[in-house]
Amino acid sequence: GMFHGTMQLFPSALISYIRPIVLISLIRTCELFTLAGCSEHLTMASQERGVARFAVAHQQREGGGFLVRRPIGGEIRECDPFLMLDHLGPVEYGPGEAVGAPDHPHRGFETVTYIVEGGMQHKDSAGNSGNLLPGWVQWMTAGSGVVHSEMPSDEVMEKGGRSEGFQLWVNLPKKDKMIPPRYQDTPPDKIPVATSEDGKVSVKVIAGESLGTDAYIETRTPILFVDITLQPGATFVQPVPSTYDGFAYVWRGSGRLGPEDASRSAKLGDVAVLGAGDSFRVTAADNDTLHVLLIAGEPIREPIARHGPFVMNTPEEIQQAFRDYQAGKLGSIAGSEERYAKTAAAKQK
């Protein structure tokens, strides 16, 4: 799924611009790899996780001119079960400038879209559609496959405005890759926010659990996805099961990541892969708030064949996905030409 109203076109979505017939010639470039566990694992008693790897996701201009940082899938190639995290924006669009991701296919994984500002309208080949507004999360399980369109909301298209959001790609285990597609479009009032006793830390619980509060969204494999906001000087320790691999990404403000005696200073764009342990500490700077995504999950540890919008276990399955797409088995959505035209016009701006 590319980005959404609020995400104006994901780089990863660029494949969507390639009309189906051209896709076939690309199969030869299919990547084949096994996701290495990106975190170290714990053998001893309870301990805070350190920072195993640290990287900076630089903002780059992609495709239609949208601004994106890619903390996972870029500098850090992957973190099983996560294939990619894109941070779109923040960007201020003028009237007619917002770009989206018109019709493109997916199979074999999940896309999670989390909107901070702006709005996105999605449609798919199974007849699903909806509008995602600030604070909404869409957890889309592509499974056996859909053709998906993610375009800015009409209001953002016409009037412009500020856009910011995230898209996370979550791999599916072999046994789930061909399940029927499923959407969980979740408004902000359904996403629990837990607050620390001193009121200095609030945690939006998108998946998993924090401060005794369970998420509303269900996941196929065990996943923790929390958006933590810390007031200046506040510190917070989030339990992260020792078997999970994961990372922390600073998307606004500044502070420190990791245990007090071995923390790394971090600001917007910095990503830390979690070391061994069963919890992780985040601390805001004394004079700045800190906004950090903490994302972790049970590694799948299966071979991966990946090409653009398809993530399977073998190259043969990737070729089959292209054949199914060409043959129309993933379906189509009425109005695709208009969406391509709108996107082309916005790019010209």
Side-chain angles (χ1 to χ4, degrees), residues 12 51 76 97 136 162 167 185 188 194 198 206 233 239 260 272 275 286 330:
S12 36
V51 173
I76 293 171
E97 289 179 356
W136 280 66
R162 195 174 155 89
Q167 190 164 84
D185 283 4
D198 63 8
I206 294 169
E260 284 173 13
D286 289 338
L330 274 61

Side-chain angles (χ1 to χ4, degrees), residues 8 12 27 202-203 316 341:
Q8 322 309 353
S12 36
I27 294 175
S202 70
V203 183
E316 293 71 31

Side-chain angles (χ1 to χ4, degrees), residues 113-118 131-138 184-194 203-206 214-217 227:
T113 302
Y114 170 29
I115 292 185
V116 177
E117 289 188 272
N131 289 305
L132 304 188
L133 296 166
W136 280 66
V137 172
Q138 178 187 79
Q184 296 178 77
D185 283 4
T186 310
D189 58 17
K190 289 261 182 78
I191 298 170
V193 178
V203 183
K204 188 180 286 193
V205 188
I206 294 169
D214 287 320
Y216 173 81
I217 292 171
D227 181 8

Side-chain angles (χ1 to χ4, degrees), residues 273-342:
V273 172
L274 311 187
D278 52 16
S279 63
F280 190 70
R281 180 182 294 273
V282 291
T283 306
D286 289 338
N287 58 353
D288 203 357
T289 53
L290 176 67
H291 296 258
V292 58
L293 298 184
L294 184 57
I295 299 176
E298 195 79 57
I300 293 170
R301 305 197 193 290
E302 290 176 353
I304 286 183
R306 176 177 180 178
H307 186 87
F310 305 127
V311 183
M312 302 300 289
N313 298 105
T314 68
E316 293 71 31
E317 289 166 337
I318 294 290
Q319 290 173 27
Q320 186 62 50
F322 275 105
R323 283 195 295 269
D324 289 351
Y325 175 50
Q326 298 275 129
K329 290 185 183 172
L330 274 61
S332 62
I333 322 171
S336 63
E337 292 305 323
E338 183 190 354
R339 287 186 291 277
Y340 281 115
K342 275 187 179 175

Side-chain angles (χ1 to χ4, degrees), residues 115-130:
I115 292 185
V116 177
E117 289 188 272
M120 142 11 231
Q121 44 192 340
H122 74 90
K123 293 183 170 148
D124 80 0
S125 50
N128 296 298
S129 66

Side-chain angles (χ1 to χ4, degrees), residues 29-53:
T29 61
C30 168
E31 286 184 82
L32 206 54
F33 56 93
T34 300
L35 281 187
C38 76
S39 297
E40 301 152 347
H41 288 285
L42 184 67
T43 50
M44 58 219 74
S46 177
Q47 73 176 57
E48 284 185 26
R49 291 171 177 254
V51 173
R53 277 192 70 191

